[in-house]
Amino acid sequence: MNITVSQKNDVMIVAVQGRLDTIGSSELEDWSNKNFDPPKCDVIMDFSRLDYISSAGLRTILNLSKLMKKNSWKFSICSAQAHVKEVLEISGFDTFIPLYRSVDDYLA
Amino acid sequence: MKTVEEFQIQNFSKGLDELRVNLGRIASSWSLSKKQLFEINLIVEEIYANYTEHVENNTIHPVEIKLCREKDKLVITITDQGPEFDPTKIPDPDVHLPIDQRKAGGLGLYLVKHYADTISYTRTDNTNILHIEKKLT
């Protein structure tokens, strides 16, 4: 699990690379506890290099999404691979997390 | 022709790696697509995660995983000697609730039910046996 952060137009872009399985999700959870206490801007998760997601990953994403909402920041996901996007849709996460095709799409 | 592959997950902390490596090996020998491998991995991880949540005091016995393929039909059999647990009895979560009312619990088995065609559970000789059928299309 690799997490790379960059900033563009007041948005924090968090690129997650690897697998959001039970192990990867707890790594992301630890990372966000350190870095989003509290969150200070809008966040978009770049999932272009995320190969795998399970319900453990969904739990982490749901918690993150709730934390952002509580602090009145926008939380979005972009560039998810088709099978990852499908899991987000089956679980109904696309009803409360906007999914974008790319970071540029989000910024446009 | 019927092809069978079997392996065990023995080590609790490295279980997911064992699972990923074994399924990767089987997927390449069976020429499965990336999406098929993803769906099979997800199904087995979710069942395994449920098992590890339900065992007492980390007394983890090996979980046996058998994949049996006949043409485009795949049967995954997952066997463990943990406490009785029938995942088919777990109610589905409401995936249409707004974010404030959403809880993450139950999504794993919901995804398993989505990606599998049939799931059946039997308990014999203190053993949980789960049969999961999936068409490889």
Side-chain angles (χ1 to χ4, degrees):
Chain A
M1 162 70 56
N2 267 315
I3 299 165
T4 318
V5 175
S6 54
Q7 193 88 20
K8 215 174 186 178
N9 302 3
D10 302 329
V11 185
M12 186 195 248
I13 303 160
V14 181
V16 181
Q17 182 188 353
R19 297 168 73 86
L20 275 182
D21 55 16
T22 315
I23 297 160
S25 302
S26 77
E27 288 173 23
L28 179 61
E29 193 97 41
D30 290 347
W31 182 89
S32 57
N33 287 342
K34 272 185 218 138
N35 291 274
F36 293 140
D37 184 29
K40 295 182 181 69
C41 64
D42 293 341
V43 169
I44 182 159
M45 307 289 285
D46 179 348
F47 277 0
S48 54
R49 296 173 83 183
L50 181 72
D51 296 319
Y52 182 92
I53 189 164
S54 68
S55 64
L58 293 174
R59 179 179 287 122
T60 304
I61 298 298
L62 179 66
N63 290 342
L64 260 175
S65 180
K66 285 183 172 177
L67 175 72
M68 293 296 157
K69 195 181 176 209
K70 201 174 88 185
N71 289 274
S72 306
W73 297 111
K74 278 193 280 183
F75 180 73
S76 321
I77 291 173
C78 75
S79 316
Q81 297 178 40
H83 59 280
V84 171
K85 187 163 175 263
E86 190 179 79
V87 169
L88 294 168
E89 288 167 349
I90 294 164
S91 313
F93 278 34
D94 57 328
T95 59
F96 53 82
I97 304 173
L99 306 179
Y100 293 90
R101 277 190 301 179
S102 63
V103 173
D104 288 343
D105 228 37
Y106 171 86
L107 294 170
Chain B
M1 197 185 72
K2 208 174 185 178
T3 332
V4 180
E5 290 273 359
E6 277 176 281
F7 63 93
Q8 281 190 344
I9 302 181
Q10 310 235 21
N11 182 318
F12 180 50
S13 61
K14 297 226 171 74
L16 287 183
D17 281 335
E18 288 180 35
L19 178 63
R20 180 177 52 79
V21 170
N22 276 292
L23 291 179
R25 174 180 56 79
I26 295 165
S28 72
S29 94
W30 286 359
S31 308
L32 298 181
S33 70
K34 193 179 163 186
K35 184 168 164 55
Q36 286 167 336
L37 170 60
F38 168 74
E39 293 177 5
I40 295 165
N41 197 143
L42 183 68
I43 290 172
V44 185
E45 176 184 336
E46 298 298 353
I47 299 295
Y48 178 70
N50 260 287
Y51 164 70
T52 56
E53 274 168 32
H54 285 89
V55 288
E56 291 147 357
N57 310 322
N58 279 352
T59 45
I60 306 235
H61 301 281
V63 176
E64 283 171 33
I65 293 149
K66 185 167 140 188
L67 281 83
C68 182
R69 182 192 190 180
E70 198 169 4
K71 290 181 185 161
D72 65 350
K73 192 178 113 181
L74 172 71
V75 181
I76 306 169
T77 309
I78 303 172
T79 314
D80 70 69
Q81 291 178 331
E84 184 163 3
F85 177 67
D86 181 355
T88 63
K89 295 252 169 71
I90 304 296
D92 287 342
D94 184 350
V95 296
H96 304 290
L97 287 175
I99 179 168
D100 309 306
Q101 293 168 40
R102 283 298 295 263
K103 293 194 177 70
L107 275 176
L109 293 173
Y110 183 73
L111 290 169
V112 171
K113 286 180 206 162
H114 177 89
Y115 286 115
D117 296 314
T118 61
I119 305 172
S120 63
Y121 171 82
T122 357
R123 174 89 180 170
T124 348
D125 299 331
N126 294 320
T127 306
N128 295 311
I129 305 164
L130 204 60
H131 285 284
I132 299 166
E133 280 188 29
K134 179 169 174 57
K135 264 220 150 43
L136 295 171
T137 47

